[in-house]
């Protein structure tokens, strides 16, 4: 067997499931982990994300050592640390002879590009293996996409359900007679309901040490580690998953789109950080969710909704990323060109909805989907913030942020920068939507019913201004017909007042041209 150097990246914490370790020979091989500035600093990640990745890597290295595997672990502060993953591969090759280097494909285009360039130039064979922890690889996705003029998650999801035999009846038809039960899943939250408690993991000794290092070395990064609760080992992640299946899954779905003050988790799973790190197997959790339905412990709308998020949305986003990169990142269909308001970083705003989303994000490196999509994402789109600024913010602030999943969600879902590759229309909404789906507006300093003036909810004028500014691109979109009809009924004076008000709001919030 060739003596092999096996590089494991910070989001490849998948004991027993990693293609780069599959033929590992502990008698000859070395597994390389490297904490490097190129990865900690390419965006100024939330402190909790760095702590999560370091704790994940350190714990995995310990488990491999305990199995008798040779591990070369390069700490961030090691004297000779070169600062990059390729630098660390080069250094390891210079210090000991290896016949080849093996790595599982990275999740981000920039690293894949760098690895492919290194592989082409390296004297030692450098093998990049497919990352088969996902359920649809890039070539299968490209084959599915081939010849289609529009790519929609719903159709992809049906193919995936059949491929994996998930939630099918005895005739191979969708369980319950429909592929999608989303209509049952858009309720606002009734006052009398209390969301279930979530299982949060107290940091273990390795995690505590990683947190201390991060507090010391990344003090100026966004957020706080004080409330760190993420699983960093497979055993901890298993506890979270078991708890989710037993207590949260049965209510998953119905209130997916609801937002409640002081309730950051609701019926969301809060598993994306652990799953993107590699700790949770996506297919296994889908099968276990299906088993809960088959055993009569969780209803179909909940289980179907959950499986759709993972088998459908997560895989669809990854497929689009690898199909469309690198051009995808440069898209700016709405020609947005403004700066992101400072309160996205500080949380210092009187807008109750944004304040809640940002302060939750600072404290937990988490906000649920509707906060990301309809509060922070929607507002940045209405302001006309440049996609690069929005993309940078989402990459920085969430513990689950990796470009393969973050970029399609921002460009495709939140800002329509992709011009409709992912969604058929922008998720633009005024304050009325937030008022309907949350309890934010009541105590807010702004009045959700007003459109113009110092007390008017800022979403309102911005929403109509957004529609007016983008009428050439969006006005003929059949799914936008209703709001455009309303816009067209407005007098020229109303429209002028909205434009003036929108400009005033943008200036007040610092969303000025870049
Ligand atoms: P739940 O709501 O409980 O859903 C269960 C799981 O389904 C999630 O853990 C996730 O793995 C998957 N999922 C659900 N929706 C999506 C989606 N749209 N895309 C991909 N997977 C999905 N998710 C990330 O993992 N990383 C990101 O960087 C990220 N950035 C986002 C940015 C924006 C602007 C938006 C609108 C969404 C983003 N999402 C991202 C998707 C989604 O918001 C998160 O996956 C979800 O909030 C994670 O919380 P949860 O585990 O409680 O998810
Ligand atoms: C996110 C991250 C961070 C913060 N630090 C490291 C690191 O020091 N070493 C490492 O191998 N990986 C790290 N990562 C994860 C990588 O950025 C991730 O593997 C790529 O972005 C590809 O998804
Ligand atoms: Fe947000 Fe407007 Fe409601 Fe205030 S009134 S919480 S700004 S939607």
């Amino acid at each position: 067997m060739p003596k092999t150097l096996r590089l494991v990246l910070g989001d490849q914490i998948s004991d027993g499931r990693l293609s780069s370790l599959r033929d590992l020979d502990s008698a000859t091989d070395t597994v390389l982990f490297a904490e490097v500035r190129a990865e900690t600093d390419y965006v100024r990640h939330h402190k909790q994300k760095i702590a999560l990745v370091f704790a994940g890597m350190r714990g995995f290295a310990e488990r491999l050592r305990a199995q008798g595997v040779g591990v070369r672990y390069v700490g961030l502060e090691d004297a000779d640390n070169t600062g990059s993953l390729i630098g660390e591969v080069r250094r390891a090759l210079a210090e000991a002879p290896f016949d080849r280097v093996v790595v599982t494909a990275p999740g981000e285009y920039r690293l894949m590009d760098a690895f492919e360039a290194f592989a082409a130039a390296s004297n030692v064979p450098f093998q990049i293996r497919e990352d088969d922890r996902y359920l649809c690889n890039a070539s299968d996705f490209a084959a599915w996409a081939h010849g289609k003029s529009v790519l929609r998650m719903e159709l992809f999801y049906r193919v995936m359900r059949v491929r994996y035999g998930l939630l099918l009846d005895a005739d191979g038809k969708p369980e319950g007679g429909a592929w999608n039960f989303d209509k049952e899943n858009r309720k606002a939250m009734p006052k009398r309901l209390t969301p279930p408690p979530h299982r949060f993991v107290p940091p273990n000794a390795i995690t505590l040490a990683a947190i201390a290092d991060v507090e010391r070395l990344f003090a100026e990064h966004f957020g706080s580690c004080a409330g760190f609760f993420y699983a960093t080992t497979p055993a901890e992640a298993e506890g979270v998953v078991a708890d989710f299946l037993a207590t949260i899954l049965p209510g998953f779905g119905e209130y997916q789109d609801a937002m409640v003050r002081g309730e950051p988790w609701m019926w969301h799973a809060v598993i994306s950080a652990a799953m993107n790190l590699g700790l949770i197997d996506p297919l296994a959790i889908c099968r276990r969710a299906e088993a809960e339905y088959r055993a009569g412990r969780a209803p179909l709308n909940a289980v179907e909704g959950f499986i759709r998020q993972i088998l459908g949305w997560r895989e669809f986003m990854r497929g689009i990323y690898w199909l469309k990169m690198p051009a995808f990142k440069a898209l700016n269909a709405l020609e947005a060109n403004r700066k992101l308001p400072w309160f996205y970083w500080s949380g210092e705003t009187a807008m109750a909805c944004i304040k809640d989303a940002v302060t939750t994000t600072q404290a937990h490196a988490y906000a649920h989907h509707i906060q990301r999509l309809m509060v922070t994402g929607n507002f940045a789109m209405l302001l006309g913030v440049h996609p690069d600024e929005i993309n940078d913010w989402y990459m920085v602030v969430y513990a689950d942020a990796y470009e393969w999943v973050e970029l399609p969600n921002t460009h495709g879902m939140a800002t329509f920068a992709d011009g409709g590759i992912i969604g058929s229309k922008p998720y633009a909404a005024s304050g009325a939507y937030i008022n309907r789906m949350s309890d934010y507006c009541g105590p807010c300093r702004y009045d959700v019913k007003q459109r113009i003036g110092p007390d008017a909810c800022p979403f309102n004028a911005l929403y109509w201004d957004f529609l007016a500014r983008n009428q050439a691109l969006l006005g003929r979109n059949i799914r936008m017909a209703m709001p455009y009809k309303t816009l067209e009924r407005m007098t020229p004076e109303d429209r002028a007042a909205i434009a003036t008000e929108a400009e005033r709001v943008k200036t007040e919030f610092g969303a000025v041209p870049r």
Side-chain angles (χ1 to χ4, degrees):
M1 277 296 279
K3 184 169 151 63
T4 306
L5 179 67
R6 299 174 188 271
L7 172 64
V8 173
L9 308 184
D11 55 353
Q12 298 182 345
I13 312 304
S14 304
D15 301 47
R17 290 191 294 122
L18 204 55
S19 59
S20 61
L21 302 186
R22 213 146 275 161
D23 49 350
L24 174 84
D25 182 345
S26 24
T28 54
D29 298 351
T30 297
V31 179
L32 169 64
F33 293 85
E35 297 174 5
V36 289
R37 279 281 172 185
E39 298 308 308
T40 59
D41 295 4
Y42 76 95
V43 295
R44 290 157 69 87
H45 311 273
H46 194 298
K47 292 190 188 86
Q48 292 197 25
K49 180 176 172 195
I50 305 178
L52 176 69
V53 169
F54 282 8
M57 290 168 70
R58 293 175 189 183
F60 196 7
E62 281 305 303
R63 293 190 295 281
L64 288 170
R65 278 196 189 107
Q67 292 162 28
V69 175
V71 171
R72 177 182 170 103
Y73 195 97
V74 181
L76 194 71
E77 295 179 281
D78 288 3
D80 298 326
N81 190 322
T82 56
S84 77
L85 292 167
I86 286 179
E88 284 312 304
V89 169
R90 278 207 183 95
R91 194 158 71 89
L93 291 176
E95 288 176 16
F98 287 99
D99 301 316
R100 61 174 185 167
V101 183
V102 169
V103 65
T104 292
E108 298 190 347
Y109 187 88
R110 70 186 166 87
L111 263 189
M112 185 63 128
D113 213 26
F115 282 6
E116 281 175 348
F118 179 71
S122 172
N123 296 328
V124 179
F126 186 90
Q127 190 183 84
I128 306 172
R129 291 187 180 167
E130 187 163 305
D131 191 343
D132 52 15
R133 296 172 302 163
Y134 295 90
L135 307 180
C136 182
N137 66 30
S139 48
D140 280 355
F141 191 84
W144 172 79
H146 184 73
K148 293 188 173 61
S149 54
V150 288
L151 303 176
R152 291 293 171 253
M153 190 285 296
E154 187 60 37
L155 296 179
F156 168 77
Y157 165 60
R158 292 176 192 184
V159 172
M160 294 290 280
R161 283 265 297 275
V162 173
R163 179 188 294 179
Y164 286 98
L166 278 158
L167 289 181
L168 300 180
D169 65 18
D171 302 325
K173 299 271 178 340
E175 185 71 20
W179 293 103
N180 180 322
F181 295 87
D182 217 20
K183 278 198 295 295
E184 296 170 33
N185 290 353
R186 294 192 194 119
K187 296 184 187 146
M189 174 114 149
K191 279 208 174 66
R192 61 195 155 75
L193 264 188
T194 314
H198 273 258
R199 169 196 275 251
F200 297 126
V201 182
N204 62 44
I206 290 179
T207 309
L208 283 173
I211 290 173
D213 288 348
V214 168
E215 299 278 21
R216 189 167 48 78
L217 296 166
F218 299 95
E220 75 292 359
H221 278 224
F222 180 81
S224 152
C225 275
F228 190 102
F229 60 63
Y230 289 110
T232 65
T233 68
E236 289 172 354
E238 171 52 30
V240 171
V241 168
D243 209 54
F244 164 73
L245 293 169
T247 63
I248 296 163
L249 178 66
F252 190 94
E254 255 184 316
Y255 306 111
Q256 273 313 287
D257 290 3
M259 297 172 279
V260 178
R261 254 176 299 134
E263 294 286 359
W265 336 110
M266 311 281 288
W267 279 264
H268 293 279
V270 198
I271 53 169
S272 51
M275 189 145 54
N276 296 352
L277 198 72
L279 294 173
I280 297 172
D281 179 347
L283 184 58
I285 196 173
C286 287
R287 294 219 185 281
R288 286 171 72 179
E290 177 174 12
E292 292 302 300
Y293 163 70
R294 301 271 176 217
R297 290 190 292 263
L300 183 57
N301 72 305
V303 173
E304 186 284 312
F306 178 71
I307 289 176
R308 176 157 28 89
Q309 303 310 310
I310 292 177
L311 187 69
W313 278 114
R314 187 169 187 265
E315 294 293 330
F316 182 73
M317 292 312 204
R318 183 167 179 271
I320 293 280
Y321 179 77
W322 288 109
L323 188 70
K324 300 288 182 186
M325 280 296 277
F328 191 75
K329 198 169 178 173
L331 296 176
N332 184 4
L334 301 181
E335 295 177 2
N337 70 338
R338 290 176 184 258
K339 291 188 176 163
L340 190 73
W342 179 248
F343 54 67
Y344 272 72
W345 300 106
S346 68
E348 286 161 12
T349 170
M351 300 172 74
C353 52
I354 302 250
K355 192 179 183 70
D356 193 58
V358 175
T359 50
T360 299
T361 300
Q362 288 168 326
H364 303 297
Y366 178 87
H368 65 69
H369 187 68
I370 293 302
Q371 291 176 304
R372 298 187 201 196
L373 182 64
M374 301 310 293
V375 177
T376 45
N378 175 31
F379 195 65
M381 176 175 69
L382 298 183
L383 284 169
V385 175
H386 193 284
D388 287 351
E389 300 227 349
I390 299 176
N391 183 26
D392 180 64
W393 187 78
Y394 281 98
M395 272 303 294
V396 167
V397 302
Y398 292 115
D400 58 22
Y402 298 90
E403 197 181 76
W404 64 266
V405 54
E406 174 275 344
L407 188 64
N409 269 295
T410 52
H411 270 36
M413 302 283 280
T415 67
F416 208 67
D418 72 350
I421 292 175
I422 288 174
S424 54
K425 73 174 187 64
Y427 283 89
S430 68
Y433 173 87
I434 294 174
N435 194 27
R436 191 165 64 249
M437 297 310 300
S438 79
D439 64 355
Y440 289 137
C441 301
C444 181
R445 170 239 176 281
Y446 294 105
D447 180 352
V448 71
K449 299 272 190 282
Q450 289 189 47
R451 202 183 276 168
I452 310 273
D455 296 331
C457 166
F459 277 85
N460 292 342
L462 289 174
Y463 171 72
W464 293 108
D465 170 68
F466 171 85
L467 292 180
R469 280 191 292 114
N470 294 298
Q471 190 153 10
L473 191 74
L474 304 174
R476 281 194 299 276
N477 184 326
I478 193 87
R479 298 197 60 204
M480 306 287 284
M482 289 268 282
Y484 273 108
K485 256 192 202 127
T486 311
L487 184 72
E488 270 150 26
R489 279 200 297 269
M490 288 182 191
T491 64
E493 293 75 27
D494 283 346
R495 291 177 69 140
I498 283 169
T500 308
E501 175 72 359
E503 199 52 44
R504 184 190 69 72
V505 169
K506 290 176 199 176
T507 308
E508 182 185 325
F509 291 165
V512 292
R514 302 200 321 156

